Amino acid sequence: MLVAFSISPVAQDPSGSVTEAVAAAVRVVRESGLPHETNAMFTNIEGEWDEVMAVVKRAVDVVAEVSPRVGLVLKADIRPGHEGQLTAKVERIEEALRRAE
């Protein structure tokens, strides 16, 4: 499965920045060893249901250490039997664009 998620503390530091809390969540994902990528809006992670959801929960937990309230946005593509979709989906789009040129 692929999961795109975004975690943010609701109670921010005085500057309004969420950088440190989000960095802690991304660190959890990176330490998981699962295929992942982070962009400006979401972190994408790929793996089996239980392992991906465990990583998301740990990431929420580390943000909750600095904020009594945490926002989570999550989108999942559940497609049993398919691996490597984190890159394969993008490659299929790129190929379609090349064919259209």
Side-chain angles (χ1 to χ4, degrees):
M1 81 182 300
L2 290 176
V3 168
F5 71 100
S6 175
I7 299 171
S8 187
V10 176
Q12 302 171 355
D13 72 20
S15 73
S17 175
V18 297
T19 301
E20 293 303 318
V22 171
V26 171
R27 190 173 298 111
V28 168
V29 174
R30 291 182 177 179
E31 290 172 353
S32 75
L34 295 175
H36 64 275
E37 64 183 15
T38 299
N39 59 51
M41 297 294 294
F42 287 91
T43 294
N44 302 317
I45 186 168
E46 182 173 14
E48 296 300 318
W49 179 275
D50 290 340
E51 61 189 359
V52 168
M53 290 305 178
V55 171
V56 171
K57 182 182 182 324
R58 283 195 306 276
V60 168
D61 289 345
V62 300
V63 173
E65 291 175 7
V66 298
S67 176
R69 189 173 182 183
V70 178
L72 171 67
V73 175
L74 187 141
K75 181 178 181 179
D77 180 1
I78 303 160
R79 194 172 181 198
H82 289 79
E83 295 179 1
Q85 296 304 297
L86 192 64
T87 56
K89 290 177 87 166
V90 176
E91 290 168 2
R92 288 191 297 273
I93 296 298
E94 292 296 336
E95 177 59 30
L97 290 169
R98 282 191 294 277
R99 286 193 311 266
E101 292 177 349

